Amino acid sequence: MSDLIIKGHLGIGPKASGEALVATDNFSARYDLDRIKGIFSRPAHKLFEQGYVGKVLVLNIAKGGVATAWMLHEMASRGMAPAALLLNFANPIIAQGAAFGQVPLIDRFDSDITTMIKTGDQVEVNPATGDVIVTQS
Amino acid sequence: MNLNDTEKAMLAGAMGEARQRAIIQQIQVGDFFDAVDFVPVAQAHIMADTESLGEAGVCFLEDLANEAEVDNQVCIPTITDPRGADFNTYKQINHDPAYVALEKRADQAFRALGVLMTDTCINYQTVIPPVRGEHLAMGDTGVVIYSNSVFGARTNYEGGPSALAAALTGRTPRYGFHLDENRLGTRLFQVKEQPKDWSQWGALGGFIGREMGSYYEVPVIEGIDVTPSSDDLKHFGAAMASFGSTALFHMVGITPEAPTIEAVFEGTPPAPHVISAKDMDAFFATYAMDDDALDVVVFAAPQLSLYELERLAKLLKGQTIHSDVALLIATNPENKRAAERMGLDDMISGSGAILMEGVCFYQMHARELGEANDWTRLMTNSAKLVNIISGYGYEPVLSDMERCVHSAIAGRIVR
């Protein structure tokens, strides 16, 4: 077992850690999630029916509408948010939502983040430096 | 970020806590996107339906509304996106009164901040159209893509909290589509089959949106040899923004920043991605069903213009919607009043269809509405809606307006 440090752009939000949940799919809180049950609810999503609460979500691109900006705050208020979001490319909505809800977010890594972390890996996220530390499972 | 004296004063709290919190949040986003400074914006448009806000978001707004008026008033014209409940028709669709009550609280809080409750995602058709080069803080993806592309205005996606921050500070971080260098094309699409109705314009936009990568990709479309209407481009842009995360497109010879293909590419344009009739057929096939079961027909996403309402009214005049099917239509308060004055509402409502105002179907607890009314199979002419609604437990079918209406009358999907 060895630790891997991955460098991204400076992020938003506090430090966090958790178990990774990874897919090459994209992400929108409105389109993809059942936020009451805390699972992915869009049938076409690779993480369909999987629970995301407390997980470090590792996905490709932020897609879709603007609702995620409020929804991260709303999910966090009920303790139903992911521990952190790691994306290849965030969009403004995810960044604004992370700033408003103080949900940790980092994007723009040296290479494709969805291939560098596996589901089940233990991950530490430090948005202030853009560092992600992976304890590989 | 470089701050001017006003921005430094806001950050120091000299202009109240609300503006201080707002600018702190904006600086975090600006730093994330490497913005050098702020840009003043002329309008803000806030998406804040209660499904997204939840109790936590409504409490946040109420706390802000309770602060001193000198601190909490918006400082630029600020308008709202569709809300989460229609206070007039909610009983007809079994909308949970608890959600309606939450919506009333949000509505009152926004009014206390000096926000104009337009409740619309077609403000560019009904409130004030943007002007080329105007910097804005628009809070709906469809509004953003239309403002940027069709008018040549400049806005990023500004989610609710962010648009509210811009309304309080009068500015937004200068990144993304506020900057010249991000407005050039990155991909080229060549259209071989001309879209013929709103569902086809939406499908074309959705197809291109699905091909888009990051937020910074800008598709350029050539080969459109008809002049699209405002409603055509509305469906096209809204679907593209929904399927992708796309905030700007150029349509050669049609949109203002693309008089020629050379004007929107630096150097040689990339090889085009050709979109054929087969591609469009395949797109529609994604949203077709083997059987003809039908529960609800929805015209929304974006809200309907007066001309769309007129066409619907003509199709529905003297007809009766099948008793096993609901037909819902969403528009904004201005068009609803206009439809009432012009007799269109009577033609629509006389058929049993429900004309809702100030809402959009997917922004009003669509999952719970589906459960309350036993709605699963949904038919619509909105490519944007079919993209969104499957996550809410629906089986969406995409077709044109005429077939949707005929199906609502027949009580089953008419092909």
Side-chain angles (χ1 to χ4, degrees):
Chain A
M1 190 180 284
S2 62
D3 286 354
L4 169 69
I5 299 177
I6 307 170
K7 193 85 188 153
H9 190 277
L10 299 190
I12 289 176
K15 274 188 185 178
S17 61
E19 191 182 307
L21 181 61
V22 187
T24 54
D25 280 25
N26 302 317
F27 180 70
S28 159
R30 163 109 70 193
Y31 297 6
D32 295 331
L33 306 182
D34 182 330
R35 288 166 287 116
I36 302 300
K37 291 182 184 160
I39 58 168
F40 279 80
S41 59
R42 189 215 266 280
H45 202 285
K46 288 196 181 76
L47 299 179
F48 181 53
E49 293 189 326
Q50 296 208 45
Y52 60 79
V53 176
K55 299 284 174 68
V56 174
L57 268 182
V58 183
L59 292 161
N60 184 28
I61 295 169
K63 280 223 169 187
V66 295
T68 303
W70 288 114
M71 285 176 175
L72 291 179
H73 172 260
E74 192 278 331
M75 288 151 67
S77 78
R78 292 183 290 113
M80 295 293 279
L85 287 163
L86 305 180
L87 302 170
N88 280 323
F89 292 102
N91 68 1
I93 297 302
I94 289 274
Q96 295 154 6
F100 182 59
Q102 285 301 296
V103 174
L105 165 72
I106 304 177
D107 79 338
R108 286 163 285 173
F109 297 93
D110 296 334
S111 54
D112 182 352
I113 191 68
T114 67
T115 63
M116 299 178 79
I117 299 177
K118 295 191 303 297
T119 291
D121 284 348
Q122 200 61 33
V123 179
E124 280 178 46
V125 175
N126 186 358
T129 59
D131 288 339
V132 175
I133 302 171
V134 185
T135 310
Q136 289 172 319
S137 55
Chain B
M1 287 176 73
N2 299 321
L3 305 184
N4 65 21
D5 289 346
T6 307
E7 291 150 3
K8 282 177 187 164
M10 273 188 217
L11 184 60
M15 298 170 77
E17 284 182 22
R19 276 175 246 282
Q20 183 185 35
R21 285 195 306 268
I23 203 162
I24 288 171
Q25 192 182 306
Q26 288 185 305
I27 290 170
Q28 286 181 30
V29 175
D31 285 343
F32 186 83
F33 287 111
D34 304 313
V36 173
D37 60 4
F38 279 97
V39 59
V41 288
Q43 300 177 48
H45 174 249
I46 304 177
M47 198 296 293
D49 61 66
T50 38
E51 187 197 329
S52 312
L53 287 168
E55 178 73 24
V58 174
C59 288
F60 166 81
L61 291 175
E62 288 177 331
D63 288 346
L64 185 57
N66 286 331
E67 292 184 27
E69 212 169 285
V70 65
D71 292 337
N72 73 4
Q73 295 296 294
V74 297
C75 65
I76 52 174
T78 301
I79 58 177
T80 52
D81 203 37
R83 315 286 320 142
D86 175 6
F87 303 139
N88 297 315
T89 61
Y90 73 92
K91 287 181 184 163
Q92 287 175 266
I93 56 170
N94 299 316
H95 203 166
D96 188 334
Y99 293 140
V100 181
L102 193 63
E103 189 60 54
K104 282 200 170 131
R105 286 170 52 197
D107 181 89
Q108 282 168 2
F110 273 124
R111 287 174 197 273
L113 304 176
V115 173
L116 302 169
M117 304 304 290
T118 54
D119 303 347
T120 188
C121 58
I122 53 168
N123 51 304
Y124 50 85
Q125 289 182 325
T126 46
V127 183
I128 290 281
V131 174
R132 186 169 181 181
E134 192 176 35
H135 292 276
L136 305 166
M138 291 288 151
D140 169 279
T141 58
V143 174
V144 167
I145 198 168
Y146 199 102
S147 300
N148 278 329
S149 311
V150 181
F151 291 109
R154 296 181 170 222
T155 177
N156 286 310
Y157 286 178
E158 298 273 6
S162 186
L164 180 55
L168 288 165
T169 65
R171 60 208 71 224
T172 194
R174 195 194 304 266
Y175 67 93
F177 296 100
H178 293 287
L179 299 169
D180 288 342
E181 59 263 35
N182 293 325
R183 298 182 68 90
L184 291 170
T186 63
R187 298 276 301 276
L188 180 59
F189 291 87
Q190 194 173 69
V191 175
K192 290 292 185 191
E193 179 83 1
Q194 303 301 311
K196 292 180 190 65
D197 64 41
W198 294 316
S199 65
Q200 292 186 13
W201 277 104
L204 180 62
F207 180 93
I208 295 168
R210 212 163 52 184
E211 296 293 315
M212 290 292 102
S214 84
Y215 176 73
Y216 286 95
E217 286 212 63
V218 177
V220 176
I221 298 95
E222 64 171 359
I224 298 291
D225 59 18
V226 295
T227 303
S229 69
S230 172
D231 286 326
D232 294 340
L233 291 175
K234 175 174 81 171
H235 280 278
F236 176 76
M240 186 188 293
S242 175
F243 278 86
S245 178
T246 309
L248 169 67
F249 67 84
H250 299 297
M251 199 173 272
V252 179
I254 292 165
T255 58
E257 292 173 52
T260 62
I261 199 163
E262 291 76 23
V264 282
F265 284 110
E266 213 162 34
T268 312
H273 180 145
V274 176
I275 305 174
S276 65
K278 217 167 143 185
D279 291 325
M280 287 296 89
D281 290 346
F283 187 94
F284 274 90
T286 316
Y287 303 102
M289 298 289 160
D290 293 335
D291 63 85
D292 65 358
L294 181 62
D295 299 316
V296 60
V297 174
V298 178
F299 294 105
Q303 289 176 331
L304 273 68
S305 72
L306 189 61
Y307 295 175
E308 288 174 294
L309 290 175
E310 182 194 31
R311 188 179 296 181
L312 256 184
K314 285 179 176 170
L315 289 167
L316 288 167
K317 187 181 180 185
Q319 302 287 340
T320 303
I321 302 303
H322 195 281
S323 57
D324 294 340
V325 172
L327 195 159
L328 307 179
I329 304 154
T331 191
N332 64 9
E334 273 65 38
N335 284 346
K336 176 81 189 305
R337 294 293 95 73
E340 286 167 1
R341 282 194 292 117
M342 296 168 197
L344 304 176
D345 189 26
D346 286 344
M347 289 156 72
I348 290 168
S349 303
S351 71
I354 299 169
L355 180 55
M356 306 182 294
E357 70 174 76
V359 291
C360 197
F361 184 72
Y362 70 92
Q363 292 177 285
M364 50 195 299
H365 305 92
R367 185 189 314 282
E368 290 77 6
L369 279 179
E371 288 165 1
N373 293 286
D374 223 4
W375 292 335
T376 304
R377 184 65 60 77
L378 179 150
M379 194 173 186
T380 180
N381 73 338
S382 163
K384 173 174 178 170
L385 187 59
V386 296
N387 182 43
I388 298 171
I389 212 68
S390 65
Y392 285 87
Y394 289 81
E395 297 170 353
V397 175
L398 180 62
S399 193
D400 60 53
M401 180 180 270
E402 284 72 15
R403 281 200 188 90
C404 289
V405 169
H406 294 153
S407 299
I409 293 165
R412 58 182 174 78
I413 294 171
V414 174
R415 290 168 209 279

